[in-house]
Amino acid sequence: MRSLVTGGTGFIGRHLVKKLEQPRVLGRDPKRIHKLLRNVDAFQWSPSSPPDAKVFEDIDTVFHLAGESVFKGRWTEEKKERIMRSRVEGTRNLVELLSTLAKPPSTLICASAIGYYGPQGEKILTESSPAGDDFLSRVCIAWEAEASKAEKLGIRVVQLRTGIVLGGDGGALPQMLTPFRLGVGGRIGSGNQYMSWIHIDDLVNIMLFAAGTESIRGPVNGVAPSPMTNREFTATLASVLHRPAMLQVPGFVLKITLGEFADVLLGSQRVIPEKAAEAGYVFRYPELNEALQDLVA
């Protein structure tokens, strides 16, 4: 499999690239790509400025991971516009470029998020569950719609709806560890909201599994099979770290400090990876305790 990756210098992208054999990586700064990643061919690309079509020659699979981070910075209207534009316009321009190729790649694995479903309490959510109607839901709906247009080109499209990705060198976990190690960690809000998480190794392996499994197409939930409430999650993390988890961050405090983004942390999404499981994917870290033990160690 000859692969091309957008967003290859991000947290997920770096882990994916390590598993690929000399992929082509697209980004704003090829020099930075070469500094961060080994054994890659780097080319300049931005969501609003597609690269030369020659970059896609002999490529079988495109992993499209590029997009403005939803976690960094307060959600101002300008920030929300960048989040939407980077995903929708970036994917649209990518697919339009693919449409000009004499021999387009056979597979497009496009990032998405479980934000697609919006907050839905204790309801179990699968790939066939309906979309929500909040900001992230609207972003994911538009994002996936642009990726789906590649199907008209004969390209198999997989939209990977990622949950909370846990890794030692990025994602949500490093931000959680400091307060817990200081003994001031605890649940967020009521603690009853579900958190759908996944170990970074499993997420990358699901991406590779989907790329190599012709029967997989459409949305795929990139989450572990055991979502937990925030209360259960924090208790497990505290146990792994041998620290207490007695404090609580009230929801109104989060809303004051984080604004609209607080709704993401307080919302409940109980998502399971139905499609990956039915296709035969076997999780390396199906339980949270195992995942945290590996990452904290």
Side-chain angles (χ1 to χ4, degrees), residues 68-83 87 135-136 175 254-265:
E68 174 84 9
S69 173
V70 300
F71 298 105
K72 296 179 180 179
R74 192 179 179 90
W75 278 12
T76 62
E77 290 304 313
E78 181 182 358
K79 171 72 172 180
K80 289 166 66 176
E81 174 63 23
R82 292 200 306 270
I83 290 172
R87 287 160 173 76
F135 170 68
L136 279 187
Q175 300 176 53
L254 282 177
K255 290 185 178 182
I256 291 173
T257 57
L258 300 179
E260 187 178 350
F261 179 63
D263 294 334
V264 176
L265 302 178

Side-chain angles (χ1 to χ4, degrees), residues 84-254:
M84 177 71 81
R85 186 173 63 249
S86 67
R87 287 160 173 76
V88 176
E89 290 186 5
T91 305
R92 179 185 301 141
N93 290 337
L94 174 63
V95 173
E96 288 179 354
L97 188 150
L98 296 180
S99 71
T100 67
L101 303 179
K103 185 181 178 183
S106 59
T107 304
L108 169 63
I109 310 290
C110 184
S112 184
I114 62 171
Y116 174 92
Y117 304 108
Q120 298 208 36
E122 296 185 356
K123 182 180 180 181
I124 295 176
L125 304 172
T126 70
E127 287 86 354
S128 60
S129 297
D133 59 1
D134 61 359
F135 170 68
L136 279 187
S137 299
R138 294 192 295 273
V139 169
C140 292
I141 292 168
W143 193 4
E144 293 186 8
E146 294 298 334
S148 294
K149 293 177 182 178
E151 294 174 349
K152 297 179 181 179
L153 308 176
I155 299 173
R156 179 171 62 94
V157 177
V158 176
Q159 291 112 341
L160 190 70
R161 294 174 180 167
T162 61
I164 300 169
V165 186
L166 303 179
D169 61 338
L173 185 59
Q175 300 176 53
M176 299 177 187
L177 289 179
T178 299
F180 275 87
R181 283 176 169 153
L182 293 174
V184 293
R187 70 182 189 275
I188 297 174
S190 70
N192 296 325
Q193 68 273 27
Y194 273 89
M195 300 173 64
S196 297
W197 60 275
I198 188 168
H199 190 295
I200 182 63
D201 288 353
D202 272 318
L203 181 62
V204 169
N205 287 339
I206 286 177
M207 295 169 72
L208 297 175
F209 180 77
T213 305
E214 290 290 330
S215 62
I216 296 180
R217 61 179 61 239
V220 173
N221 290 333
V223 295
S226 55
M228 306 183 79
T229 65
N230 177 260
R231 187 187 305 270
E232 294 168 332
F233 189 101
T234 54
T236 304
L237 179 55
S239 176
V240 169
L241 294 172
H242 305 290
R243 293 290 190 274
M246 298 180 292
L247 300 182
Q248 175 193 12
V249 180
F252 76 88
V253 173
L254 282 177

